[in-house]
Amino acid sequence: MKESFFRLKSQFTEEIIFKKNSDFKDRKIKLKVSHKLEIKNIDETSSNVRLIFSIFTEEELAESPFFISITQLGEFQYPSDLDKTDLENLLNINAPAVLLSYIRGLVSQITAFSGYPALIVPLMNFAK
């Protein structure tokens, strides 16, 4: 196995918002997830990628068990001679998948501590 040329140099959680609906009684829920991706090129070999991942919305809180939004920021490095299309795919597909792996653990912990069963966020396909 060979180490990838696309690397996560650093990452951190920028923001967590959690609001619980204590009046929610229905245990059968259908997850509504959404995300927003922000990419900022630092130089020809690195970019910051910010993934804002939400489950439900604050506006839907009366009909959902909770609202959660987590913003994860990562700095990714890559070779300067990388094809533009390949770079766009890496930043728009691979980078958010990597950042989501950090968010998934946070969601599980936060939901478990809230009194709900620990929620395991399914894997997401950012290519579609």
Side-chain angles (χ1 to χ4, degrees), residues 5 13 24 27 44 67 75 85 92 96 104 111 123:
F5 59 84
T13 304
F24 186 79
R27 290 292 175 180
E44 66 277 349
F67 160 66
E75 181 181 340
T85 302
N92 285 288
R104 291 176 80 237
T111 53
L123 297 175

Side-chain angles (χ1 to χ4, degrees), residues 47-88:
S47 296
N48 281 334
V49 178
R50 176 177 286 114
L51 175 63
I52 303 165
F53 184 81
S54 300
I55 302 174
F56 302 113
T57 66
E58 201 162 6
E59 295 76 28
E60 297 172 318
L61 190 56
E63 295 85 36
S64 59
F66 57 83
F67 160 66
I68 189 167
S69 177
I70 300 178
T71 303
Q72 199 74 17
L73 183 72
E75 181 181 340
F76 291 86
Q77 293 183 320
Y78 41 83
S80 61
D81 60 347
L82 196 59
D83 177 75
K84 185 178 179 177
T85 302
D86 290 341
L87 178 58
E88 286 179 10

Side-chain angles (χ1 to χ4, degrees), residues 35 37 39 49 87-97 126-127:
H35 77 282
L37 192 63
I39 299 169
V49 178
L87 178 58
E88 286 179 10
N89 286 336
L90 288 169
L91 294 175
N92 285 288
I93 298 169
N94 297 56
F126 289 97

Side-chain angles (χ1 to χ4, degrees), residues 31 33 53 55 100 103-105 107-108 118-124:
L31 285 184
V33 300
F53 184 81
I55 302 174
L100 183 61
I103 291 172
R104 291 176 80 237
V107 169
S108 291
L119 175 64
I120 298 172
V121 175
L123 297 175
M124 301 288 167

